[in-house]
Amino acid sequence: MKDSATPAKTDGHAPHSAERFPIVGIGASAGGLEALEDFFSHTPADSGMAFVVVQHLDPTHKGMMPELLQRVTSMPVTQVRDRMKVKRDCIYVIPPNKDLSLLHGVLHLIDPVAPRGLRLPIDFFLRSLADDQHERAIAVILSGMGSDGTLGLRAIKEFAGLVLVQNPATAKFDGMPGSAINAGLADIVAEARDLPQRILDFLTRVPQSGPGKPAPEPESPAQKSGLDKIVILLRARTGHDFSSYKKSTIYRRIERRMGIHQLARITDYVRYLRENPQEVDLLFKELLIGVTCFFRDPDAWNALQKIALPQLLTGSPASRTLRAWVAGCSTGEEAYSLAIAFREVQEQIKPVGQLSLQIFATDLDPTAIETARQGRYPANIAADLSPERLNRYFVEDEGTYRVCSEIREMVVFAPQNVIMDPPFTKLDILCCRNLLIYLNGELQKKLLPLFHYSLNPGGLLFLGSAETIGNFTNLFAPLEGKSRLYRRGEHPARAAQVDFPSRLYLTPTAMPDDVKAIPTTNIQALTDQLLLQRVAPAAVLVNAAGDILYISGRTGKYLEPPSGKANWNIHAMTRDGLRNELTLALPKALRDKTTVTQRGIHVDLNGSSQTVDLSVLAIDEPEALRGMALIVFADVASPPAELPTGNSRRTPSRGRMAELEVALQRARDEIQSVREEMQSQQEELKSANEELQSTNEELQSTNEELTTSKEEMQSLNEELQTVNAELQSKVDELSAANSDMKNLLNSTDIATIFLDGHLHVRRFTTQATRIFKLIAGDIGRPLSDIVTELQYPDLQSDAREVLRSLVFSEKQVQTGDGRWIMVKIMPYRTLDNVIDGVVITFTDISVSKKLEAELRGRQARP
């Protein structure tokens, strides 16, 4: 594990320079504004956490996200500036056209190098968050299209961080939440408004380690006993024993699951596991979390391609198939990376002869193996692969990347437990990266000699960046120090010194009293196995195409692998003598759904001969094997040579013998003719297939161009969604302001008319309709066209004078019905201090005029 990052100081709390607080990375895209508002409106202002919001933004649009989020929270919301320290109880928002990274609690802005439409800012930040905060990293994925964030979540899970995902049913766009859930990376799935409380509940349950604090280990007897019971429950449910794994790793993962379920004691979690078997499966997945990517640790892969592989290729005999084993391959990225690296080196140095590489990739997790076999990965792998490699070795398919057939055919995937199952042998390359770090020291000391035994002399061992060979310097010699590449030494390690998996499996953990023991032996299974080995004939299970699916017994006398590229087809592996009969018998048995038997077949065994009976049985039951065939080989004694007898009547004449030989030769010639004709047809079909492949490649090229355009349009659509959401929020604010202003003007009970620069009506209050005959349709008409009761013919000229001089005008005028109105004309100033029309107010002063007239009348009387 990497060292913990140094935290940044924070404000507003007691001094805690050595204290670290959780940093929550939030990824959102299209439809994310509503989800973010729900999230922060339910987040306490004193949660003690910092929040970093990363969104897909239009590079040319000024972001308004800080202002929009500030409306729903009292925490300060800030747009990130370069080298800004992260403080608790604050929200930080990524600016447009920037990538964001975190180092020692400080945010750094980086100019993006990817073109528009291919950027993955959420993955970029979450990876740096995981590297900086380790197990304290928390990631939240909200509404959005695409799969951005999934690779970053893998890095969070590697360090046992917490991953929360918005429920796709409540998200406006479920692409990003769905991708995270389908990848098996979500710890908590809930509505956006519920996620803050789930984070706080988790933090109160799970103890957070500080800087330099080692990973937790069970200390009390109750904790150790609980851990042993959990290991037993895992073994009972999955068949895999985790007692050889590092206790600190297992206990930390268990603590996470306890925090998610709000369980304080490990005994409570044991009870929860026994009552909920599906939780055992989830814990199993948690312990097997596959953290990998294409060409992880690029420096190590560069060393492999520049130093190790060229030496291996130039030192290998011509026309040979090299063998490689990738142990703990997870979802296959590392195995495919090795195949691509080999192909690139092969094309570069062009070794003599036809060298090929057969890769065997294994993992404990069958689900990961199934994903690897499909060879289909999300679009965000573009962050780990160069455009040249993407175009050369991958095919775009419905928003994903699929490994091309050239690379896919180099790799064979299979489930395997490296601790319990036999290893692959006669290897030229053994790749075991970031697997040993999860195993205890005793098990590592037994695996490394096993790896030495599995490799050919001069073979390569490729370990992870945090792994070493320990004290086994006599078994392996380093090639390049930092790359963790080693060459197998010539130490005379005997088989007796190697603990093979049958003896490598450690003594089972003592069985607690309250967990039922599981039988470790089965007499019937052992007896059946003994019978198959000693009595039953050799047999091979094949499908309709002849591909070998299962081999029982010793078939070396009947089958041999052909030279060149590995081919597991029965027709290619059958020895001379059996091949022709099997070619006829297999399709006949499958067609007629019966058993076809060929007796007395002579098989060439490298100079000697063996007589064999061949039986092909078409399988109809059970359902799982329907459509397959079982091929059985049985040795029989060769018939003794006929001794001459005195009875000449039983001895065929020489003429008859010659006739039979001619008939036999004729039959052989006919068979040879049929074979040649079939081969000719196969060549024609092959030529037609090549033409179809060429057409298919052209169509794929066109499809790739369309897919690229589709991705750019999708990215642009996400940016427009974000801008639209921000603008909609501004429109809502503007509507509210308009309503406030309308109510304010109406409440003053002052008739008001707003005119533009051409003295056209822009807006008016309800009271103004009592002076001018105004209706809603008069907006935009000249005020001079509106009928009025005012006896004010100079209104237009006075308004123009105010526009010219910017000096307001005030006059008292009378209406036709005898009322007096105070008319005040003022310039209309915008927020930018620009004159854009006039404002005319009309105040009824009839009462004042009447009082004034009465006072003057009284004063005029003697």
Side-chain angles (χ1 to χ4, degrees):
M1 300 292 288
K2 300 177 182 178
D3 295 335
S4 300
T6 304
K9 296 181 180 180
T10 58
D11 298 333
H13 293 77
H16 51 276
S17 59
E19 180 186 357
R20 301 173 67 199
F21 51 88
I23 299 178
V24 182
I26 304 177
S29 181
L33 177 59
E34 180 181 345
L36 287 167
E37 289 177 343
D38 281 348
F39 182 91
F40 286 116
S41 62
H42 292 81
T43 303
D46 57 350
S47 64
M49 298 180 286
F51 303 90
V52 181
V53 178
V54 182
Q55 245 196 331
H56 291 176
L57 299 173
D58 184 350
T60 62
H61 178 73
K62 181 180 179 181
M64 296 183 290
M65 186 62 66
E67 294 85 353
L68 298 177
L69 293 181
Q70 192 65 77
R71 301 178 309 172
V72 298
T73 179
S74 59
M75 290 185 288
V77 184
T78 308
Q79 184 167 279
V80 176
R81 299 185 303 275
D82 194 30
R83 301 187 61 81
M84 176 180 282
K85 286 188 177 182
V86 178
K87 301 178 182 179
R88 64 168 65 207
D89 299 326
C90 294
I91 302 173
Y92 301 90
V93 179
I94 187 173
N97 201 29
K98 294 290 183 180
D99 282 334
L100 187 60
S101 181
L102 182 70
L103 178 64
H104 302 315
V106 178
L107 295 169
H108 296 264
L109 294 178
I110 302 173
D111 292 329
V113 295
R116 180 174 185 166
L118 297 175
R119 292 180 51 211
L120 302 168
I122 302 175
D123 276 328
F124 190 88
F125 175 73
L126 292 183
R127 284 185 175 184
S128 70
L129 176 64
D131 291 336
D132 193 69
Q133 298 296 307
H134 295 181
E135 71 279 358
R136 302 182 68 88
I138 300 174
V140 177
I141 297 296
L142 301 177
S143 172
M145 293 188 290
S147 59
D148 191 11
T150 301
L151 293 181
L153 296 182
R154 289 187 182 275
I156 297 287
K157 296 286 283 185
E158 177 183 7
F159 292 104
L162 180 66
V163 173
L164 303 96
V165 177
Q166 181 182 4
N167 190 334
T170 65
K172 193 171 183 180
F173 295 92
D174 61 358
M176 284 168 42
S179 176
I181 294 173
N182 294 336
L185 301 173
D187 293 315
I188 297 173
V189 179
E191 295 187 27
R193 63 180 58 199
D194 298 331
L195 294 179
Q197 188 59 45
R198 298 296 295 272
I199 297 175
L200 293 173
D201 292 342
F202 175 83
L203 294 176
T204 57
R205 294 291 183 182
V206 179
Q208 300 294 307
S209 58
K213 182 178 178 180
E217 287 196 21
E219 298 177 354
S220 67
Q223 290 175 331
K224 294 179 180 179
S225 175
L227 181 60
D228 290 340
K229 294 175 183 178
I230 292 173
V231 170
I232 292 171
L233 290 172
L234 284 167
R235 186 177 63 187
R237 177 79 173 178
T238 66
H240 299 292
D241 187 1
F242 287 89
S243 59
S244 302
Y245 283 57
K246 288 182 178 179
K247 294 294 188 294
S248 58
T249 300
I250 298 178
Y251 195 66
R252 182 169 56 196
R253 302 285 179 174
I254 291 173
E255 279 193 329
R256 290 185 71 257
R257 300 302 304 176
M258 291 169 58
I260 291 172
H261 294 294
Q262 298 299 290
L263 299 174
R265 299 179 302 172
I266 194 170
T267 54
D268 298 332
Y269 187 60
V270 173
R271 186 180 302 108
Y272 184 82
L273 285 172
R274 299 185 64 187
E275 294 173 353
N276 301 273
Q278 67 275 12
E279 175 64 19
V280 182
D281 298 331
L282 292 175
L283 179 60
F284 176 67
K285 293 289 185 182
E286 181 81 16
L287 294 173
L288 296 181
I289 183 67
V291 181
T292 183
C293 62
F294 285 97
F295 294 96
R296 189 182 188 191
D297 299 330
D299 293 340
W301 285 98
N302 289 337
L304 179 71
Q305 288 188 278
K306 293 180 180 179
I307 301 175
L309 286 181
Q311 293 178 3
L312 183 64
L313 289 178
T314 54
S316 298
S319 301
R320 174 172 173 256
T321 299
L322 302 176
R323 291 163 57 90
W325 177 23
V326 179
C329 69
S330 187
T331 48
E333 288 91 332
E334 193 164 87
Y336 290 129
S337 297
L338 179 60
I340 293 172
F342 176 84
R343 184 67 71 208
E344 290 177 343
V345 173
Q346 188 180 35
E347 293 174 353
Q348 181 180 2
I349 67 175
K350 295 181 175 57
V352 179
Q354 296 296 324
L355 287 175
S356 60
L357 177 66
Q358 179 69 65
I359 301 174
F360 303 96
T362 64
D363 196 87
L364 189 62
D365 186 359
T367 304
I369 288 294
E370 194 60 33
T371 302
R373 283 174 176 160
Q374 295 175 3
R376 189 185 299 271
Y377 298 95
N380 50 12
I381 64 171
D384 300 315
L385 292 164
S386 64
E388 293 77 15
R389 281 175 172 164
L390 278 176
N391 295 331
R392 172 71 174 83
Y393 301 107
F394 292 84
V395 178
E396 291 190 54
D397 186 6
E398 298 180 356
T400 63
Y401 284 103
R402 178 167 44 84
V403 179
C404 68
S405 58
E406 174 190 359
I407 298 300
R408 177 64 187 87
E409 292 172 358
M410 295 174 62
V411 188
V412 176
F413 292 97
Q416 189 213 34
N417 188 334
V418 71
I419 301 175
M420 300 174 58
D421 297 330
F424 291 86
T425 57
K426 298 183 179 180
L427 302 171
D428 299 283
I429 304 173
L430 201 162
C431 188
C432 181
R433 310 186 72 235
N434 303 307
L435 172 63
L436 298 179
I437 58 176
Y438 297 108
L439 308 178
N440 60 32
E442 180 182 355
L443 190 57
Q444 292 183 26
K445 293 178 181 178
K446 296 183 178 181
L447 279 179
L448 287 170
L450 184 66
F451 290 167
H452 180 273
Y453 175 83
S454 300
L455 285 166
N456 288 329
L460 298 175
L461 176 64
F462 192 15
L463 299 181
S465 58
E467 299 168 332
T468 64
I469 58 173
N471 296 326
F472 293 99
T473 54
N474 58 334
L475 300 182
F476 300 97
L479 283 182
E480 205 278 329
K482 296 181 180 180
S483 64
R484 297 293 189 262
L485 278 166
Y486 302 90
R487 189 177 300 281
R488 181 188 187 272
E490 299 304 321
H491 180 76
R494 299 186 301 272
Q497 297 174 323
V498 180
D499 283 341
F500 288 94
S502 58
R503 296 189 288 118
L504 187 62
Y505 187 71
L506 302 180
T507 303
T509 308
M511 184 74 68
D513 296 334
D514 58 346
V515 178
K516 184 178 178 180
I518 298 176
T520 58
T521 59
N522 189 315
I523 296 178
Q524 179 182 354
L526 294 177
T527 305
D528 292 343
Q529 184 178 2
L530 184 62
L531 289 173
L532 288 173
Q533 293 175 350
R534 301 294 179 87
V535 180
V540 179
L541 180 69
V542 299
N543 59 17
D547 297 325
I548 297 176
L549 305 176
Y550 183 78
I551 297 177
S552 175
R554 306 185 63 175
T555 58
K557 290 192 295 183
Y558 322 107
L559 306 177
E560 64 175 351
S563 60
K565 186 177 180 179
N567 190 342
W568 289 93
N569 191 278
I570 189 70
H571 299 295
M573 296 186 64
T574 310
R575 288 182 179 270
D576 292 338
L578 283 172
R579 185 174 296 116
N580 297 337
E581 284 72 11
L582 182 60
T583 302
L584 298 174
L586 178 58
K588 179 176 176 58
L590 292 173
R591 183 176 59 253
D592 300 339
K593 296 183 179 180
T594 183
T595 301
V596 177
T597 302
Q598 300 285 351
R599 301 186 183 278
I601 303 172
H602 295 281
V603 182
D604 181 19
L605 300 178
N606 299 327
S608 62
S609 179
Q610 172 67 51
T611 303
V612 177
D613 286 349
L614 173 69
S615 297
V616 181
L617 170 65
I619 301 176
D620 190 55
E621 296 292 339
E623 177 69 24
L625 300 182
R626 181 172 298 174
M628 302 179 186
L630 185 66
I631 303 173
V632 181
F633 306 97
D635 293 347
V636 296
S638 300
E642 272 191 33
L643 297 176
T645 63
N647 191 353
S648 60
R649 294 178 182 176
R650 297 183 180 179
T651 304
S653 64
R654 295 195 178 188
R656 178 61 176 166
M657 290 290 293
E659 182 181 348
L660 293 175
E661 288 177 357
V662 170
L664 178 59
Q665 184 62 39
R666 186 182 303 111
R668 287 175 176 173
D669 292 341
E670 291 177 356
I671 292 175
Q672 182 64 28
S673 177
V674 171
R675 288 177 184 165
E676 292 176 355
E677 183 179 354
M678 185 174 63
Q679 289 177 354
S680 177
Q681 292 177 351
Q682 288 178 345
E683 292 293 335
E684 293 177 359
L685 291 174
K686 183 177 180 181
S687 177
N689 184 49
E690 290 176 353
E691 294 178 0
L692 291 175
Q693 286 181 345
S694 176
T695 304
N696 185 45
E697 289 177 358
E698 294 176 0
L699 292 175
Q700 285 180 350
S701 176
T702 304
N703 185 48
E704 289 174 4
E705 295 176 0
L706 293 175
T707 303
T708 302
S709 300
K710 176 184 174 183
E711 287 183 352
E712 293 179 355
M713 291 297 296
Q714 179 178 339
S715 175
L716 181 60
N717 186 36
E718 290 182 5
E719 295 168 359
L720 291 176
Q721 286 279 351
T722 302
V723 174
N724 183 56
E726 295 177 352
L727 293 177
Q728 183 61 45
S729 178
K730 286 295 184 181
V731 168
D732 294 341
E733 290 182 359
L734 183 59
S735 298
N738 285 337
S739 298
D740 294 342
M741 187 179 70
K742 182 178 180 181
N743 283 276
L744 175 62
L745 292 174
N746 290 335
S747 65
T748 60
D749 199 26
I750 297 176
T752 306
I753 297 178
F754 298 86
L755 303 179
D756 61 17
H758 301 288
L759 301 185
H760 293 177
V761 177
R762 174 183 287 164
R763 178 178 295 179
F764 58 88
T765 63
T766 304
Q767 293 80 359
T769 58
R770 291 179 288 188
I771 301 173
F772 287 82
K773 304 300 183 180
L774 288 166
I775 61 175
D778 291 332
I779 300 296
R781 293 181 60 189
L783 184 63
S784 58
D785 293 351
I786 310 301
V787 177
T788 178
E789 296 183 359
L790 286 177
Q791 297 176 359
Y792 189 5
D794 297 332
L795 177 61
Q796 300 290 325
S797 59
D798 288 348
R800 289 190 178 91
E801 180 61 23
V802 170
L803 276 175
R804 187 190 65 79
S805 64
L806 303 182
V807 177
F808 74 90
S809 170
E810 188 175 51
K811 290 185 178 180
Q812 298 178 2
V813 298
Q814 197 171 11
T815 64
D817 58 359
R819 290 179 296 151
W820 283 90
I821 303 296
M822 174 68 74
V823 181
K824 188 174 184 179
I825 308 174
M826 296 175 293
Y828 180 97
R829 294 179 183 271
T830 65
L831 294 177
D832 297 328
N833 200 26
V834 176
I835 304 301
D836 190 22
V838 295
V839 181
I840 307 176
T841 59
F842 306 88
T843 307
D844 191 340
I845 59 173
S846 299
V847 176
S848 301
K849 278 291 186 180
K850 183 178 180 181
L851 292 175
E852 182 181 351
E854 290 178 357
L855 287 174
R856 286 180 179 176
R858 290 178 183 178
Q859 290 176 356
R861 294 173 189 167

